[in-house]
Amino acid sequence: MRLDVVTIFPEYLEPLNVSLVGKARARGQLDVHVHDLREWTYDRHNTVDDTPYGGGPGMVMKTDPWGDALDTVLADGYEKGSQAPAIVVPTPSGRPFTQELAVELSGRPWLIFTPARYEGIDRRVVDEYAARIPVYEVSIGDYVLAGGEAAVLVVTEAVARLLPGVLGNAESHRDDSFAPGPMANLLEGPVYTKPPAWRGREIPEVLLSGHHGKIARWRRDEALRRTTANRPDLIERCAPGSFDKKDREM
Ligand SMILES: N#Cc1c(-c2ccc3ccn(Cc4ccccn4)c3c2)n[nH]c1N
């Protein structure tokens, strides 16, 4: 997968050099290019913003730098053999970024992220490119950030971990919160490791029993308990009859 990021804060994307994404880059599973939007400005102040038409607070990011940057990025990718790009626009007004959307994006060969600042990008930029390639406008949550770079880090990590061979244990996806299967729409339950006792707190006995069926049942019960407590909305999403009455009275 090729990832391009166009930003006025390229240093914000330094975390893409470390940990899971950094290792995937080193193994050649991810080809990441971070671009400084100001390289496509030609005035002495490298201006990327201007006042909003219609008045209102803040500034809007100008069309030309984004158009020139995206044209250059697209030309470079095509020239190097990349195909089927999609643009990902982080925005507070976007569709919720979910595990399902992460799975969809992980199936694409080339993502171009356009994290903006100020009040966002002139709408005509999105309209220009949406006319010829898929554009995903996504929000990582119901809170307001000052820009889209943090969202790029979130989306990139959620997508990269789904790429074949990136997560060491191929089974790890199976128990993901929100992943399809028996744990779909359930949050992960508690996890434990050695020592068996710590400051007088012991491990749930079932986890030391070696009885895989009982352990699986306990984990599912704990996931249901945590989901009921923290995300009752997810319980409603589960298929009717997923849990018998006893399950839900825990
Ligand atoms: N994803 C995501 C986001 C963002 C986000 C993403 C990109 C930009 C570019 C500028 N701003 C500031 C801003 C504040 C208010 C109204 C418009 N724009 C962004 C905020 N906020 N919250 C999320 N879940």
Side-chain angles (χ1 to χ4, degrees), residues 90-92 116-120 138-141 143-148 151:
T91 169
R117 287 274 153 171
Y118 306 101
E119 298 303 310
V138 303
S139 169
I140 60 167
Y143 39 79
V144 180
L145 302 169

Side-chain angles (χ1 to χ4, degrees), residues 199-243:
R199 297 188 181 180
R201 298 177 186 277
E202 306 204 351
I203 304 298
E205 264 185 58
V206 66
L207 297 182
L208 304 174
S209 70
H211 193 300
H212 297 300
K214 287 182 179 174
I215 291 170
R217 173 76 198 198
W218 179 86
R219 284 181 167 153
R220 191 162 173 281
D221 290 349
E222 287 301 308
L224 184 58
R225 188 193 311 277
R226 184 177 283 197
T227 308
T228 304
N230 294 343
R231 287 293 304 273
D233 58 299
L234 293 179
I235 297 289
E236 300 315 316
R237 281 195 220 166
C238 294
S242 295
F243 313 110

Side-chain angles (χ1 to χ4, degrees), residues 23-213:
K23 290 188 175 73
R25 293 177 71 175
R27 288 195 293 256
Q29 293 163 310
L30 267 180
D31 176 23
V32 178
H33 305 259
V34 178
H35 312 271
D36 185 342
L37 179 68
R38 295 190 196 274
E39 287 179 20
W40 289 276
T41 61
Y42 308 101
D43 63 299
R44 65 193 293 239
H45 296 296
N46 300 114
T47 307
V48 295
D49 64 308
D50 204 336
T51 53
Y53 276 123
M59 302 292 273
V60 174
M61 299 193 88
K62 295 167 56 68
T63 53
D64 279 342
W66 282 104
D68 293 349
L70 290 173
D71 287 350
T72 304
V73 166
L74 285 165
D76 178 69
Y78 286 131
E79 183 189 321
K80 291 175 179 167
S82 297
Q83 290 298 324
I87 291 177
V88 179
V89 183
T91 169
S93 58
R95 65 190 273 201
F97 179 65
T98 62
Q99 189 65 15
E100 184 180 2
L101 183 50
V103 170
E104 179 176 339
L105 293 177
S106 71
R108 301 199 68 95
W110 182 11
L111 300 177
I112 301 170
F113 290 96
T114 61
R117 287 274 153 171
Y118 306 101
E119 298 303 310
I121 304 173
D122 186 304
R123 183 67 201 176
R124 291 171 290 181
V125 174
V126 171
D127 294 344
E128 165 72 5
Y129 291 93
R132 47 189 148 128
I133 59 177
V135 174
Y136 294 81
E137 294 183 85
V138 303
S139 169
I140 60 167
D142 293 340
Y143 39 79
V144 180
L145 302 169
E149 285 80 7
V152 173
L153 296 178
V154 166
V155 173
T156 298
E157 180 155 321
V159 168
R161 67 185 291 279
L162 295 172
L163 298 179
V166 169
L167 268 191
N169 172 3
E171 288 299 300
S172 296
H173 299 314
R174 184 199 59 205
D175 297 338
D176 272 353
S177 288
F178 317 112
M183 300 297 274
N185 294 314
L186 290 181
L187 304 178
E188 278 97 355
V191 290
Y192 301 87
T193 187
K194 294 184 283 297
W198 178 72
R199 297 188 181 180
R201 298 177 186 277
E202 306 204 351
I203 304 298
E205 264 185 58
V206 66
L207 297 182
L208 304 174
S209 70
H211 193 300
H212 297 300

